[in-house]
């Protein structure tokens, strides 16, 4: 019976009383398919030998698992000597007679890997050597990255490499109706997970993206460009009948000009101009008209003027001669007026004015025009000048007057004043008649610009309109002064400001600022008498010479273990200076998480740098050697030490530039210390550093984007590298971004990809890594925040249990001081808090009112507000963390 009390078939053996058992069970031939490595999952029960009397010499509690690769089935033939042993399998749980009585089934599950395998198939075999076993099931499987669709590209089933640290790069194929934007790629990881999506496909014209596929635009819609934009409704006066339209076609009598984009509405030629009038004097004839009532949906409106001279019959017209001059020109006019000169007296001219736009030439039928006939010998046409009375009778009215024409031969019947709102052109206008040469017009709108013009009516008819006169009415409420709503506050200037990273903390001095590098070394490092040093073993090779381990007799006559870096003979001065630069830097530091410099030997040969000995060597190889051996708390302890070392460096104003697990050393107590100092030289020395396009040498996988692209190294770029070190630690020395090329790493980071959580990594730690990898460097955590965050995790280990997102994470630890001050409207004190060293909410929670005063908050009201918020903060932290702050 299985655990659900259902009957099952098992293979059993139980010859526990007989010596020298050698019983075999072999599987059928198993087809390998695409596997390069297979997993064998065994479920079995095993009887505890202690629970069976009289079998102490013969009863066994293990069995052996074997395999044999062949290209074909061997039928019933079986030769154990052909088989290779995979492992001895023992039970985690064995059962006793009592369990049997209680019908308790203690089922064991064991998984073993077999590979690499290359033949067509394989057999599995089980050897029993005298145990009491029931084999319940055998599951043989391999892992693959399953077919998937990502970024509109399909990726086939892919079998991972046998070697778990290298990835398979797979190119995707665009889905139907999509095309490549950047080559779509995914990497298949050892566990069958797809990693690092790069590049993408986008939907072709006429198709839009929906749920990972490209669908044709519906009728009435279109998409004119390739890309992940949606189909749009056809623009006005256009349509698409079918599906998948790239453009919409114009309705009848509507058109698109050659340069109109497909997104633009279809348009039509304009209607003819309206209200053509003329104004004639001795030398020039001015024609004026109003724009057409229908612009055809476009703005590129122009006018052409054609002149004809006609006889008494309408069909006796001929085009005017070249002597007529049009100012500015007869064609392509953009204003609604043209002046005609050099015309003959005593002639009849007919002017045809045509409106045109960008699609006028698309029609081949005659275009409608507005025409006016002018007789140049009619006489009595005069122009008038309008003037307004500066003392207008009331705000919304105007008093206009003009001079009566002097040389008029005909009797004036009356004057007509036409006026309209300038903004509305002449689409609608009002007029008033008067016999006197003046008028008062009332009922105008306030704050509105009006246009006026005037014409005379004589017994011979109307004259042309006078030139236009513009006038803007006043605002009724002009004298109301708006109340001032806000009074500007002068920002309170912080009373305290410091340019140092922390006031009172020692600052790092760049040894290159010393003219004589030997002087720098002796400023910061003790000279050691070489007779006090005993070199014992060579433990590695550095850029400048061997690295040895040995002993140093201290001045107190005690012997301590040391590592000794030597400068090999034949060096040039520059190499000596670069070699000793590291000592000049290291000698300035004094912190339990920074490798300690014991001293230097410069006055005899070989030149040496002596540092404390770190028994477990560099962190990356140490972790690889002890894969899976530490508890999460131990790993977090290492990370805390590294963060604390880098916090010390950043407080000193030193930027490391090459934080990586290979540059961290580990001692026998698992204490991690930052090593490898020397600025640019560090990078020259680092085999991971690659040349960038700007010629610098940079360890791409560990370096922040701004440092790669424009060499912006800072404590914030060290924070990025620290995030990568976290990932290296939590994955036991895995290579960041595996086997991806540097170029792909840069590209994927740019596209927003970040390393996933290593197996078994608590979600809080991965979130901290992601925090360190923020593109915007000011958003990355400060090292002091990282240390206090890790301290909290260590004190409160239950927060490390969550291994998947969605479980609760305490974000309050990352609210910045800036956010907090903004929330209580005290932003003006940000720099005062930071300058005084209060850069985490934790540190703020400890502040007293004296501290608040001391950092420069002088106003009593502000002190109260800040202190009251600090009290709330304290309660919150207390509540969330369950410990006292
Ligand atoms: N390799 C380089 N420096 C070392 C040190 N200080 N201790 C042990 N191994 C090292």
């Amino acid at each position: 019976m299985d655990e659900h009390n259902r009957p099952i078939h098992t293979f059993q053996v139980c010859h526990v009383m007989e010596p020298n058992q050698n019983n075999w069970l072999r599987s059928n031939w198993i087809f390998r398919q695409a596997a390069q490595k297979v997993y064998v999952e065994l479920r079995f029960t095993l009887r505890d030998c202690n629970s069976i009397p009289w079998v102490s010499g013969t009863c066994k509690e293990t069995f052996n698992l074997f395999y044999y690769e062949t290209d074909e089935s061997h039928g019933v033939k079986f030769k154990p000597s052909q088989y290779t042993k995979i492992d001895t399998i023992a039970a985690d749980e064995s059962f006793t007679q009592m369990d049997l009585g209680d019908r308790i089934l203690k089922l064991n599950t064991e998984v073993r890997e077999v590979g690499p395998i290359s033949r067509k198939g394989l057999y599995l075999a089980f050897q029993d050597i005298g145990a009491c076993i029931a084999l319940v099931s055998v599951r043989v499987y391999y892992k693959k990255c399953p077919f998937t669709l990502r970024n509109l590209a399909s990726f086939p089933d892919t079998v991972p490499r046998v070697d778990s640290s290298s990835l398979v790069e797979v190119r995707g194929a665009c889905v139907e109706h999509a095309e490549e934007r950047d080559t779509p790629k995914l990497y298949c990881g050892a566990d069958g997970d797809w990693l690092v999506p790069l590049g993408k496909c986008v939907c072709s014209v006429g198709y839009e993206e929906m749920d990972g596929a490209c669908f044709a635009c519906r009728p009435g819609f279109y998409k004119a460009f390739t890309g992940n934009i949606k189909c749009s409704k056809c623009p006005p006066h256009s349509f698409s009948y079918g599906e998948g339209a790239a453009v919409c076609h114009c309705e009848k009598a509507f058109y698109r000009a050659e340069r109109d984009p497909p997104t633009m509405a279809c348009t039509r030629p304009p209607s003819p101009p309206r209200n053509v009038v003329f104004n004639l004097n001795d030398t020039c004839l001015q024609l004026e008209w109003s724009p057409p009532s229908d612009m055809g949906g476009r703005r590129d409106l122009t006018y052409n003027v054609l002149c004809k001279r006609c006889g008494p019959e309408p069909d006796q017209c001929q085009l005017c001669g070249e002597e007529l001059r049009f100012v500015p020109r007869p064609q392509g006019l953009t204003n609604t007026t043209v002046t005609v000169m050099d015309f003959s007296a005593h002639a009849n001219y007919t002017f045809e004015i045509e409106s045109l736009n960008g699609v006028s030439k698309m029609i081949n039928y005659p275009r409608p025009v507005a025409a006016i006939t002018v007789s140049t010998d009619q006489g009595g046409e005069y122009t008038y000048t309008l003037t307004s009375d500066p003392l207008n009778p009331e705000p919304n009215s105007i008093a206009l007057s003009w001079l009566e024409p002097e040389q008029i031969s005909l009797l004036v019947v009356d004057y007509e004043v036409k006026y309209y709102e300038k903004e509305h052109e002449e689409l609608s206008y009002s007029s008033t008649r008067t016999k006197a040469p003046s008028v008062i017009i009332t009922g105008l709108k306030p704050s509105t610009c009006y246009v006026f013009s005037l014409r005379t009516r004589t017994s011979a008819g109307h004259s042309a309109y006078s030139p236009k006169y513009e006038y803007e009415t006043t605002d009724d409420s002009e004298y109301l002064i708006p109340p001032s709503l806000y009074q500007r506050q002068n920002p309170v200037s912080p009373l305290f400001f410091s340019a140092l990273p922390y006031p009172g903390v020692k600052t790092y001095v760049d040894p290159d600022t010393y003219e004589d590098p030997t002087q720098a070394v002796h400023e910061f490092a003790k000279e050691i008498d070489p007779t006090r040093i005993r070199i014992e073993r060579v433990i590695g090779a550095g850029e400048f010479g061997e690295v040895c381990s040995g002993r140093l007799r201290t001045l107190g006559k005690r012997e301590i273990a040391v590592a000794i870096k030597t400068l090999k003979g034949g060096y040039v001065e520059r190499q000596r200076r670069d070699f000793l630069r590291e000592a000049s830097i290291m000698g300035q530091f004094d912190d339990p998480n920074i490798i300690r410099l014991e001293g230097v030997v410069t006055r005899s040969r070989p030149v040496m740098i002596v540092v404390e000995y770190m028994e477990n060597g560099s962190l990356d190889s140490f972790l690889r050697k002890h894969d899976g051996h530490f508890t999460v708390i131990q790993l977090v302890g290492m990370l805390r030490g590294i963060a604390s070392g880098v916090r010390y460096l950043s407080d000193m104003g030193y930027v490391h530039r090459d934080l990586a697990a290979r540059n961290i050393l580990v001692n026998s107590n698992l204490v991690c210390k930052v090593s490898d100092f020397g600025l640019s030289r560090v990078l020259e020395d680092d085999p991971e550093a690659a040349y960038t396009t700007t010629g610098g040498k940079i360890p791409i996988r560990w370096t922040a984007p701004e440092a790669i692209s424009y060499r912006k190294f800072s404590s914030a770029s060290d924070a990025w590298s620290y995030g990568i070190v976290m990932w290296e630690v939590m994955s036991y020395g895995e290579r960041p971004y595996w086997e991806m090329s540097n170029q792909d790493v840069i590209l994927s980071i740019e596209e927003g990809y970040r390393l996933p959580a290593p197996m078994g990594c608590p979600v809080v730690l991965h979130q901290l890594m992601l925090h360190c990898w923020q593109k915007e460097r000011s958003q990355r955590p400060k090292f002091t925040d990282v240390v206090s965050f890790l301290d909290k995790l260590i004190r409160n280990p239950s927060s490390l249990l969550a291994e998947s997102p969605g479980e609760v994470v305490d974000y309050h630890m990352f609210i910045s001081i800036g956010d907090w001050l903004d929330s209580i409207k005290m932003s003006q004190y940000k720099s005062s808090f930071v300058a005084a060293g209060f850069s985490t909410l934790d540190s703020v929670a400890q502040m007293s009112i004296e501290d608040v005063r001391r950092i420069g908050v002088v106003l009593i009201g502000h002190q109260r507000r800040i202190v009251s918020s600090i009290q709330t903060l304290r309660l919150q932290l207390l509540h969330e963390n369950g410990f006292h702050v």
Side-chain angles (χ1 to χ4, degrees), residues 134-156:
L135 188 56
V136 175
S137 74
V138 178
R139 198 161 71 93
V140 181
Y141 60 93
Y142 64 96
K143 293 185 183 176
K144 66 180 183 187
C145 296
F147 169 89
T148 188
L149 287 173
R150 207 69 79 82
N151 291 336
L152 292 178
S154 67
F155 296 85

Side-chain angles (χ1 to χ4, degrees), residues 143-415:
K143 293 185 183 176
K144 66 180 183 187
C145 296
F147 169 89
T148 188
L149 287 173
R150 207 69 79 82
N151 291 336
L152 292 178
S154 67
F155 296 85
D157 274 349
T158 303
V159 179
R161 294 236 164 84
V162 183
D163 159 20
S164 65
S165 70
S166 61
L167 307 178
V168 185
E169 184 186 302
V170 183
R171 263 189 84 146
C174 292
V175 298
E176 230 189 325
H177 307 299
E179 37 202 271
E180 275 189 14
R181 179 58 57 84
D182 301 307
T183 311
K185 269 199 264 180
L186 274 179
Y187 287 88
C188 176
D191 281 330
D193 302 319
W194 289 110
L195 302 164
V196 210
L198 287 174
K200 61 177 170 198
C201 301
V202 287
C203 291
S204 308
V205 295
Y207 289 83
E208 66 183 344
E209 198 267 340
M210 229 185 306
D211 301 329
C214 295
F215 291 94
C217 301
R218 286 171 291 146
F221 287 74
Y222 77 108
K223 199 184 107 193
F225 306 102
T226 307
N228 286 344
I229 40 172
K230 291 279 168 204
C231 297
S232 312
K233 242 181 136 140
C234 285
H237 305 296
S238 69
F239 63 90
S240 65
Y241 284 137
E243 295 200 321
V247 284
C248 298
H249 301 288
C250 290
E251 289 167 7
K252 199 154 178 253
F254 283 88
Y255 311 89
R256 268 200 194 97
E258 216 173 287
R259 295 208 172 164
D260 286 352
T263 48
M264 191 173 141
C266 292
T267 53
R268 60 182 170 189
S271 60
R274 295 167 305 137
N275 309 331
V276 186
V277 292
F278 67 88
N279 186 2
L280 179 67
N281 68 21
D282 285 352
T283 52
C284 63
L285 163 68
Q286 195 184 23
L287 297 175
E288 227 183 292
W289 57 90
S290 311
S293 55
D294 176 9
M295 307 266 282
R298 309 183 62 91
R299 293 185 190 183
D300 50 355
L301 184 70
T302 58
Y303 304 96
N304 288 348
V305 180
L306 186 75
C307 172
K308 291 176 180 169
R309 285 181 80 162
C310 298
E313 297 301 318
D315 56 355
Q316 287 177 345
C317 291
Q318 56 192 36
L319 291 179
C320 304
E322 302 234 319
E323 72 281 0
L324 229 56
R325 265 198 307 135
F326 290 85
V327 178
R329 59 193 165 270
Q331 305 217 310
L333 296 165
T334 49
N335 289 331
T336 54
T337 175
V338 69
T339 304
V340 187
M341 287 147 104
D342 302 341
F343 50 82
S344 325
H346 315 295
N348 277 348
Y349 291 100
T350 297
F351 295 97
E352 291 179 358
I353 305 161
E354 181 189 17
S355 330
L356 298 119
N357 65 17
V359 293
S360 292
K361 58 173 184 274
M362 304 269 179
I363 58 168
N364 44 20
Y365 46 87
R367 296 189 285 248
V369 294
I372 189 168
T373 302
V374 179
S375 165
T376 54
D377 62 357
Q378 77 182 81
E381 293 294 334
Y382 301 93
T383 57
Y384 304 87
T385 309
L386 281 167
T387 50
S388 66
D389 186 340
L391 295 169
N392 272 334
E394 42 185 286
N396 297 334
S397 63
I398 184 170
L400 293 167
S401 61
W402 53 93
L403 292 174
E404 288 190 83
E406 282 171 12
Q407 70 285 51
I408 194 157
S409 50
L410 297 162
L411 195 70
V412 173
V413 176
D414 58 14
Y415 301 97

Side-chain angles (χ1 to χ4, degrees), residues 92-111:
D92 293 332
E93 302 250 28
S94 52
F95 65 89
T96 61
Q97 190 65 38
M98 217 150 68
D99 298 327
L100 267 184
D102 294 346
R103 303 182 65 83
I104 296 171
L105 189 81
K106 290 193 168 168
L107 202 54
N108 295 281
T109 304
E110 293 287 328
V111 180

Side-chain angles (χ1 to χ4, degrees), residues 539 547 563 565 595 611-615 617 665:
I539 55 172
V547 181
K565 292 187 175 188
I595 200 85
V611 300
E612 67 179 304
Y613 184 65
M614 301 291 284
E615 293 80 356
L665 290 167

Side-chain angles (χ1 to χ4, degrees), residues 516-518 567 570-580:
D516 173 9
T518 314
L567 175 62
Y571 55 83
V572 295
E573 184 47 35
R574 197 193 140 73
Q575 284 169 316
R576 180 186 134 99
R577 196 186 59 214
D578 286 349
F579 177 72
L580 289 174

